[in-house]
Amino acid sequence: MSASASSTAGDEKQEAAPVTHCKGVNDLDKVVLREVRGSSAEVYLYGGHVTSWKDEHGDELLFVSNKAIFKSPKAIRGGIPICFPQFSNFGNLEQHGFARNRIWAIDTDPPAFPVPTSNTAYVDLILKPAEEDLKIWPHSFEYRLRVALSPGGDLMLTSRIRNTNADGKAFSFTFAYHTYFKVSDISEVRVEGLETLDYLDNLQDRARFTEQGDAIVFESELDRIYLGTPSKIAIIDHEKKRTFVVRKGGLPDAVVWNPWDKKAKAMSDFGDDEYKRMVCVEAAAIEKPVTLKPGEEWTGKLELSAVPSSYYSGQLDPDRVIQDSIVPEDSIS
Ligand code: TA6
């Protein structure tokens, strides 16, 4: 019985299992998380990459390109790539750093979490630099990533990055959760929470501008780094009557990106029309790189909720209790 057949057969029996280890595309190892009310998520060890998040009805909430390549060294086009230790070309490493095209391991002995959880649908992954990484970025680190589904189906990613240099050297990095949200039609989407903020425009040599007082709407290619944003941002999909609420901690900036038609055609692992069905809103630390001395640890947290838009008019579904501030101001311990 082949891997996929076995995992499918296993799935029915293990449907309720909160955590299942199985094979995905190209036999890559993946972990499937399931929550009792029916929501689910999938994480590939390749890149520590979340590639699926579904609500209790089985509706997919993240965009993954039909042309995505699941093979090193290419990063998977869609889901939640992790940009570390460098965002974009803010440094001399490859675009968006190397964490997104390395094989991560299951973390069998993670340090205790600050907030104990009764939740069982989670997995802990770990990345440490290989020899080849130390040649291009000469720093020892331990990157622990927890991916969890809350009882209400929210998706939570917690990154804990520790400087384990033995030579007393500090290191600095930039970071992003490069989330691709699935939307019904980009021209029906508004992003709220970034009004009047300053941003760096990647389409104009990162010149600095100030955003208008209205929500962001999409009529052409957009690629901006918003600086010092609130910890809560909303992505409203009018046609789908759905709002994604992005909460972030330890990540002061936010990137908003849609490649539109020309850039879409130029990307080999992206369909020409797919720009209509995705928007990237990325919780990030870019303007002020994070600096860690040996022994110090940084925490960067992302919490995603999908709620019926009628709920999101400045208030959320009263039944869903979500912490407002998810990581103490100083995200370095
Ligand atoms: O986050 C936006 C961005 O930096 C864009 O400039 C665009 O390049 C995008 O990331 C995708 O980058 P990738 O390396 O995945 O093709």
Side-chain angles (χ1 to χ4, degrees):
M1 186 189 286
S2 71
S4 54
S6 65
S7 59
T8 315
D11 281 0
E12 284 92 27
K13 183 166 59 43
Q14 295 165 337
E15 204 73 63
V19 182
T20 311
H21 296 260
C22 52
K23 294 289 183 186
V25 179
N26 294 340
D27 255 2
L28 290 169
D29 291 314
K30 76 175 181 183
V31 180
V32 179
L33 305 177
R34 288 191 182 81
E35 214 286 311
V36 279
R37 293 192 209 170
S39 59
S40 67
E42 294 190 4
V43 193
Y44 275 74
L45 272 58
Y46 177 59
H49 199 131
V50 174
T51 55
S52 172
W53 170 40
K54 292 181 179 169
D55 65 15
E56 66 266 34
H57 311 297
D59 256 356
E60 182 56 63
L61 302 166
L62 296 176
F63 165 89
V64 174
S65 170
N66 292 330
K67 299 173 81 174
I69 296 165
F70 287 71
K71 194 166 180 297
S72 176
K74 189 72 182 153
I76 299 168
R77 177 66 68 194
I80 311 181
I82 289 180
C83 306
F84 170 83
Q86 175 188 298
F87 174 76
S88 185
N89 58 0
F90 279 75
N92 50 28
L93 295 174
E94 61 198 286
Q95 161 96 347
H96 291 323
F98 53 75
R100 63 177 182 162
N101 53 25
R102 297 291 187 270
I103 300 287
W104 295 53
I106 298 290
D107 188 0
T108 49
D109 179 26
F113 244 70
V115 185
T117 173
S118 58
N119 173 8
T120 53
Y122 68 87
V123 64
D124 287 299
L125 304 181
I126 186 164
L127 179 70
K128 295 180 183 177
E131 281 314 308
E132 84 219 46
D133 302 326
L134 292 168
K135 290 189 192 117
I136 55 172
W137 201 65
H139 299 295
S140 294
F141 63 87
E142 284 177 357
Y143 184 150
R144 288 189 161 82
L145 172 67
R146 174 169 289 189
V147 180
L149 274 176
S150 80
D154 296 343
L155 181 65
M156 298 172 291
L157 277 69
T158 306
S159 293
R160 296 186 285 180
I161 298 172
R162 178 175 291 278
N163 177 336
T164 56
N165 274 340
D167 60 6
K169 282 209 188 104
F171 63 61
S172 298
F173 62 89
T174 50
F175 181 96
Y177 289 116
H178 197 301
T179 310
Y180 289 73
F181 293 93
K182 186 176 180 181
V183 296
S184 56
D185 178 345
I186 190 64
S187 58
E188 291 276 335
V189 167
R190 294 160 56 85
V191 175
E192 290 189 358
L194 303 173
E195 299 82 353
T196 73
L197 293 178
D198 279 7
Y199 64 88
L200 306 178
D201 191 337
N202 281 324
L203 304 180
Q204 301 187 59
D205 299 327
R206 295 214 173 110
R208 190 175 183 128
F209 297 91
T210 303
E211 187 55 81
Q212 319 243 329
D214 304 321
I216 298 166
V217 293
F218 299 83
E219 291 147 354
S220 60
E221 181 181 4
L222 190 143
D223 191 349
R224 299 174 182 172
I225 303 170
Y226 288 85
L227 309 172
T229 79
S231 63
K232 193 161 68 177
I233 299 167
I235 304 154
I236 299 159
D237 181 342
H238 283 298
E239 190 175 316
K240 196 85 183 170
K241 298 191 174 27
R242 171 191 286 149
T243 294
F244 292 107
V245 181
V246 177
R247 281 189 163 75
K248 56 192 177 87
L251 296 156
D253 308 319
V255 180
V256 179
W257 179 56
N258 186 285
W260 222 248
D261 54 353
K262 276 206 204 61
K263 181 68 72 60
K265 288 193 176 67
M267 290 190 284
S268 59
D269 61 344
F270 193 84
D272 293 359
D273 277 352
E274 287 187 327
Y275 70 93
K276 296 176 182 164
R277 291 186 292 287
M278 55 71 66
V279 65
C280 285
V281 176
E282 311 162 29
I286 300 169
E287 186 185 28
K288 187 170 168 292
V290 177
T291 298
L292 295 176
K293 299 192 195 80
E296 282 189 331
E297 180 175 86
W298 169 85
T299 301
K301 192 161 184 179
L302 178 69
E303 199 169 306
L304 303 179
S305 322
V307 296
S309 288
S310 53
Y311 280 137
Y312 190 78
S313 52
Q315 63 144 353
L316 288 175
D317 173 354
D319 297 334
R320 280 175 191 244
V321 180
I322 301 181
Q323 299 166 290
D324 243 339
S325 58
I326 53 177
V327 169
E329 262 329 298
D330 180 1
S331 52
I332 293 179
S333 59

